[in-house]
Amino acid sequence: MNQLKTSIGILSILLISACSSTTNVYDYYIRNVVESHQTGQLSTGSTKLLFRKIENPSKAQLELVYFKNDTNKVLVFGSHKVVKSFYLQDSVYYFDVTDLYNKVRGDDFIRQMGNLNIFFTHVPAAAIEKFLADWPSIKQSYTMLKPMKETTEEITYAIAYDVMVSFSKTQLGQKPDKAVLWIGKRKHEINTDELIAVFTAFQALK
């Protein structure tokens, strides 16, 4: 199933004509991967975009989408990144253009340096509920971190096989206000309060 999600859910598109505004393609993934279809039969489902963040200057996107049908309730994670892909130990990783070339400025130049790579995956409602239930202990574990001078300590929580959340700490007293959401080896930064609010809203939807 993971291979199926990857093969259908990844769309690699040259950035020449993309990213001037929001990109609405999550319905392709929901219709063709998340839903089950049988010839000659109807299928019904509900979809709601819970969160979308446009990342400047590349206009990349992070989006979280609720989907539910008669048999399934899932949270869809969409990662739209302007990236350079590299193979490390037989695995492909996607690095942000602005991370690799820290002096890159301007949308036109970024378009020339990288490609827009779109990846989708989804996790069951139970995985989101477990994260929310574990959140107090995650915060406690973060509090216990005691980074030394010029060091960074991190804790990472695996929501699913291809979705992880990381929290970094560089000094005592620091709070887990910022999170890194890893989606299929792609990196997105998000405010922790926003992430918890989205997960809580997803959980409340029936």
Side-chain angles (χ1 to χ4, degrees):
M1 181 59 184
N2 290 327
Q3 292 179 342
L4 177 62
K5 288 195 295 185
T6 300
S7 61
I8 298 179
I10 297 179
L11 304 174
S12 294
I13 308 169
L14 287 176
L15 196 57
I16 295 298
S17 61
C19 284
S20 60
S21 60
T22 57
T23 304
N24 294 298
V25 294
Y26 59 79
D27 56 329
Y28 285 76
Y29 179 75
I30 290 173
R31 294 290 88 77
N32 292 282
V33 179
V34 182
E35 286 186 329
S36 296
H37 302 280
Q38 294 185 12
T39 303
Q41 294 187 8
L42 292 174
S43 61
T44 61
S46 299
T47 303
K48 183 176 182 179
L49 178 64
L50 298 178
F51 180 84
R52 173 178 280 154
K53 178 183 178 183
I54 308 299
E55 300 177 347
N56 289 316
S58 63
K59 303 290 197 317
Q61 290 177 202
L62 165 66
E63 54 192 21
L64 306 174
V65 185
Y66 157 90
F67 174 77
K68 186 178 185 300
N69 59 15
D70 293 338
T71 59
N72 221 2
K73 176 183 175 182
V74 302
L75 184 61
V76 175
F77 290 78
S79 172
H80 307 218
K81 297 294 287 184
V82 183
V83 297
K84 284 283 193 180
S85 59
F86 294 94
Y87 278 92
L88 301 176
Q89 297 181 341
D90 298 326
S91 293
V92 63
Y93 291 84
Y94 302 93
F95 294 89
D96 293 18
V97 169
T98 51
D99 286 344
L100 293 173
Y101 309 102
N102 57 15
K103 293 185 179 180
V104 167
R105 294 291 183 271
D107 294 352
D108 290 340
F109 191 54
I110 290 173
R111 282 196 285 269
Q112 296 173 27
M113 299 298 292
N115 294 330
L116 174 62
N117 186 280
I118 303 178
F119 175 86
F120 286 96
T121 189
H122 63 280
V123 303
I128 302 301
E129 292 170 3
K130 187 174 190 314
F131 175 87
L132 291 174
D134 291 342
W135 178 234
S137 63
I138 295 171
K139 289 192 292 184
Q140 181 63 30
S141 296
Y142 184 90
T143 301
M144 300 290 289
L145 296 178
K146 297 180 180 179
M148 296 182 294
K149 185 178 180 180
E150 298 181 350
T151 64
T152 299
E153 293 198 12
E154 291 182 330
I155 57 173
T156 300
Y157 185 101
I159 296 175
Y161 135 84
D162 48 6
V163 178
M164 298 181 294
V165 184
S166 295
F167 303 92
S168 300
K169 190 173 187 179
T170 57
Q171 59 186 9
L172 296 177
Q174 186 175 344
K175 296 181 179 180
D177 297 330
K178 303 289 185 181
V180 172
L181 191 57
W182 296 93
I183 304 172
K185 298 177 182 176
R186 293 155 183 80
K187 180 181 179 182
H188 293 269
E189 295 181 355
I190 183 172
N191 291 330
T192 303
D193 287 345
E194 289 180 317
L195 183 66
I196 298 300
V198 172
F199 284 1
T200 301
F202 170 80
Q203 186 180 41
L205 289 169
K206 304 300 183 183

